[in-house]
């Protein structure tokens, strides 16, 4: 098949952000399909293409995948208006691409939700089937966070419903996300759950450890590696760090790695509060991040205390921690908490604390500092769970099957699409 994979935030393995679409595209190529990925310029992403842009785009073939990169910058550092403009520009550019060639299938990977526009247009004008990949449910999550104006949320409603109902297949990253698609009228027979997975070759005990300058050998290094945005609720980590200092516990260093709109404020806040046990770093390429996690003693998963996050998120960083064999401290109930508690016969692989409970985060970090052997056992349990349940190669095979099934599925009924 000739497949057009639309993912505005795509990154290859040299970037500092998630590489799921790269892995899924590689699996499709290995299965004999011809894959073109269309993307923009996401902050922290590296496509691997070199040279200048011509007429706003550049093309190339890397790892057997044809890449079309549009000169459309986008990132969490931008305000809502700038991101919305970038989303619209990408939707327009990829609509032309979707209509400019004959494709057997289009994969539209959100977020943003606007990535489904070219897929819907190609279906209507060319009869091209498409797969809707839900990485974050929109508008459900922005509404829960209060992160978008009412008019924007209203505009997303019919778009999300059309995507779920007209897709030949829906691939969701969690059962909770799949439920949002079903609630919008998606055919249950067309909905699959393919979670984020672990790159066991990149992360793990085979990696040489590295610790940044300024991190003492005697400190327990707890790493948060991810976006620094409103949704991440990282003030809770600063509050936990302050609680540790108030207790006189200086054994633990929190290292926050990544980029985002909140990072300058968080840096200033940490300095103003004298949080000598908090260090910030820029985002790291995945290879360098793997070495950092190998040199750390714990991984930290943090999100804002939004109830909907419990089942509607599938953090990639959590998979990286498990693959690296790190015990995890998280502030999430629901899916993440169940994952950390499920040792698959090897015991738990982390501690889940209540959302918004900075003191609970501090307590969990102190427990890990006090219980070295049990902490290391949790890390081994996490690696074992990653090998059995979250190996990305196995999940990529599930993705390929879902895509191939969708390509040969009967067209979605017009009356369902219009309901």
């Amino acid at each position: 098949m000739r497949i057009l994979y639309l993912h505005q935030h795509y990154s290859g393995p040299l970037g500092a952000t998630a590489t799921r679409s790269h892995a899924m595209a590689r699996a499709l190529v290995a299965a004999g399909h011809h894959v073109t990925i269309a993307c923009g310029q996401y902050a922290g992403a590296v496509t691997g293409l070199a040279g200048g842009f011509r007429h706003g785009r550049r093309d190339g073939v890397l790892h057997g995948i044809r890449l079309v990169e549009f000169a459309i910058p986008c990132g969490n550092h931008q305000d809502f208006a700038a991101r919305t403009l970038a989303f619209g520009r990408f939707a327009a550019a990829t609509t032309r691409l979707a209509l400019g060639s004959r494709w057997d299938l289009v994969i539209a990977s959100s977020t943003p939700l606007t990535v489904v526009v070219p897929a819907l247009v190609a279906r209507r004008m060319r009869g091209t089937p498409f797969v809707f990949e839900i990485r974050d449910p929109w508008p459900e999550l922005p509404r829960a966070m209060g992160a978008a104006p009412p008019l924007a949320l209203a505009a997303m409603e019919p778009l999300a419903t059309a995507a779920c109902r007209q897709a030949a297949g829906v691939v969701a990253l969690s059962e909770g996300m799949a439920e949002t698609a079903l609630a919008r009228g998606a055919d249950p027979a067309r909905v699959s759950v393919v979670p984020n997975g672990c790159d066991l070759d990149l992360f793990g005990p085979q990696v040489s450890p590295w610790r940044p300058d300024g991190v003492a050998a005697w400190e327990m290094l707890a790493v948060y590696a991810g976006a620094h945005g409103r949704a991440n609720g990282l003030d809770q980590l600063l509050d936990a760090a302050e609680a540790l200092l108030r207790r006189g516990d200086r054994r633990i260093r929190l290292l926050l790695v990544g980029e985002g709109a909140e990072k300058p404020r968080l840096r200033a806040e940490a300095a103003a509060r004298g949080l000598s046990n908090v260090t910030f770093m820029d985002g790291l390429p995945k290879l360098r991040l793997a070495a950092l996690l190998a040199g750390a003693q714990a991984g930290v998963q943090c999100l804002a205390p939004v109830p909907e996050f419990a089942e509607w998120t599938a953090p990639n960083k959590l998979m990286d921690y498990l693959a690296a064999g790190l015990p995890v401290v998280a502030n999430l109930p629901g899916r993440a908490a169940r994952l950390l508690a499920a040792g698959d016969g090897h015991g738990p692989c982390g501690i889940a604390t209540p959302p918004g409970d900075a003191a609970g985060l501090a307590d969990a970090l102190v427990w890990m500092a006090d219980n070295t052997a049990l902490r290391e056992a949790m890390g081994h349990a996490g690696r074992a769970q990653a090998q059995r349940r979250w190996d990305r190669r196995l999940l990529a095979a599930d993705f390929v099957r879902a895509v191939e099934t969708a390509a040969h599925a009967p067209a979605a009924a017009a009356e369902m699409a219009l309901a």
Side-chain angles (χ1 to χ4, degrees), residues 98-119:
L99 296 178
S101 299
R102 287 286 180 182
W103 306 100
D104 297 305
L105 182 81
V106 174
I107 301 172
S109 185
S110 75
T111 54
L113 180 60
T114 44
V115 77
V116 304
V117 170

Side-chain angles (χ1 to χ4, degrees), residues 6-9 83 87-88 90-91 94 108-120 130 132-143 152-164 184:
L6 306 175
H7 183 206
Q8 187 164 354
H9 302 340
R83 288 198 306 273
F87 297 162
F90 184 77
T94 50
S109 185
S110 75
T111 54
L113 180 60
T114 44
V115 77
V116 304
V117 170
L120 288 166
F130 72 92
F132 179 34
E133 183 179 27
I134 305 176
R135 294 168 181 256
D136 294 298
W138 280 32
E140 289 85 355
L141 271 186
R143 179 178 293 113
L153 293 171
M156 291 183 209
E157 284 290 342
L159 189 58
T161 298
C164 292
R184 291 189 176 277

Side-chain angles (χ1 to χ4, degrees), residues 22-336:
H22 177 79
M24 300 303 148
R26 287 287 304 275
L28 288 166
V29 169
H33 304 297
H34 300 278
V35 180
T36 296
I37 289 182
C39 64
Q41 294 179 290
Y42 186 59
V46 175
T47 64
L49 295 179
F53 289 84
R54 185 177 181 183
H55 305 301
R57 60 181 271 183
R58 59 184 176 185
D59 301 47
V61 177
L62 293 171
H63 307 286
I65 305 164
R66 181 189 172 215
L67 294 174
V68 179
E69 181 182 0
F70 292 96
I72 303 174
C74 187
N76 291 328
H77 62 284
Q78 296 173 317
D79 62 22
F80 182 82
R83 288 198 306 273
T84 300
L85 178 60
F87 297 162
R89 290 178 60 204
F90 184 77
T94 50
T95 296
R96 292 190 292 270
L97 183 62
L99 296 178
S101 299
R102 287 286 180 182
W103 306 100
D104 297 305
L105 182 81
V106 174
I107 301 172
S109 185
S110 75
T111 54
L113 180 60
T114 44
V115 77
V116 304
V117 170
L120 288 166
V121 172
R123 180 185 182 277
R124 183 176 182 84
M125 298 185 68
R126 292 287 187 88
T128 309
F130 72 92
V131 170
F132 179 34
E133 183 179 27
I134 305 176
R135 294 168 181 256
D136 294 298
W138 280 32
E140 289 85 355
L141 271 186
R143 179 178 293 113
M145 293 175 56
L151 284 177
L153 293 171
M156 291 183 209
E157 284 290 342
L159 189 58
T161 298
C164 292
R165 294 186 179 186
Q166 295 186 36
V170 176
V171 174
L173 269 65
S174 73
E175 290 77 6
M177 293 184 208
E179 288 173 4
T180 67
L182 295 173
R184 291 189 176 277
D187 181 351
R190 299 173 186 263
V191 178
S192 304
V193 176
V194 182
N196 271 328
C198 296
D199 189 332
L200 299 175
D201 293 325
L202 179 59
F203 297 95
Q206 75 279 5
V207 178
S208 297
W210 166 70
R211 288 163 75 92
D213 293 341
V215 178
W218 50 265
E219 288 181 309
M220 190 192 89
L221 181 60
V223 175
Y224 168 87
H228 291 45
R230 177 182 170 188
N232 306 102
L234 298 182
D235 285 287
Q236 297 167 86
L237 297 188
L238 301 191
D239 292 342
E242 186 171 28
L244 292 172
L245 291 181
R246 284 201 306 267
R247 300 177 190 182
D249 195 328
R250 287 171 169 76
R251 297 171 298 166
I252 301 163
R253 176 161 299 278
L254 281 164
L255 175 61
L256 281 63
V257 182
E259 306 297 337
E262 289 285 283
K263 186 164 187 172
R265 184 189 65 78
L266 291 165
R267 277 185 181 273
E269 180 71 14
R273 291 161 67 173
L275 301 181
S276 57
N277 54 350
V278 175
T279 300
F280 291 88
M281 288 187 66
D282 294 339
L284 294 173
K286 287 288 187 177
L287 287 171
R288 195 61 166 161
L289 177 62
L292 174 63
L293 297 187
Q297 282 70 53
V300 179
Q301 169 65 50
C302 186
L303 283 172
V306 177
E308 289 79 2
F309 283 166
E311 303 296 343
W312 288 355
T313 58
N316 187 69
K317 63 181 73 65
L318 183 55
M319 294 292 105
D320 292 347
Y321 299 154
L322 296 179
L326 278 182
V328 180
V329 172
N331 70 340
L332 284 176
R335 182 178 181 272

